[in-house]
Amino acid sequence: MAYGVESVAEGQTARMAGLMNATFSACNFVFSPIIGNLADNHGYSAVITLIGVTPLVGLACWIVLSHLHARAASKI
């Protein structure tokens, strides 16, 4: 999945897309210098390892948030 818009109601799609774009911009602002510093000080193997681990962390966050959302929706 490229976007999480499939997980929200149709009326919230634009809000979700906007939040994702804002998050992407903020992450670029914060993490670009960190990754550059990491490459300068530790080489590209550390950057490649980070690139390999990041999708797994994202998947774990997605699963946890999906379960929390399902639990909150079932209590309503």
Side-chain angles (χ1 to χ4, degrees):
M1 261 194 258
Y3 288 108
V5 295
E6 291 88 8
S7 65
V8 297
E10 187 175 327
Q12 296 177 341
T13 304
R15 179 180 292 148
M16 177 62 103
L19 288 172
M20 287 187 298
N21 286 327
T23 304
F24 177 76
S25 297
C27 287
N28 277 335
F29 179 74
V30 171
F31 290 113
S32 291
I34 293 172
I35 291 173
N37 191 17
L38 186 67
D40 287 343
N41 294 329
H42 301 287
Y44 284 102
S45 60
V47 175
I48 292 171
T49 302
L50 183 66
I51 290 169
V53 170
T54 302
L56 299 174
V57 173
L59 176 64
C61 290
W62 186 270
I63 290 170
V64 168
L65 291 173
S66 295
H67 286 292
L68 290 174
H69 179 70
R71 183 181 295 167
S74 68
K75 289 182 180 180
I76 294 177

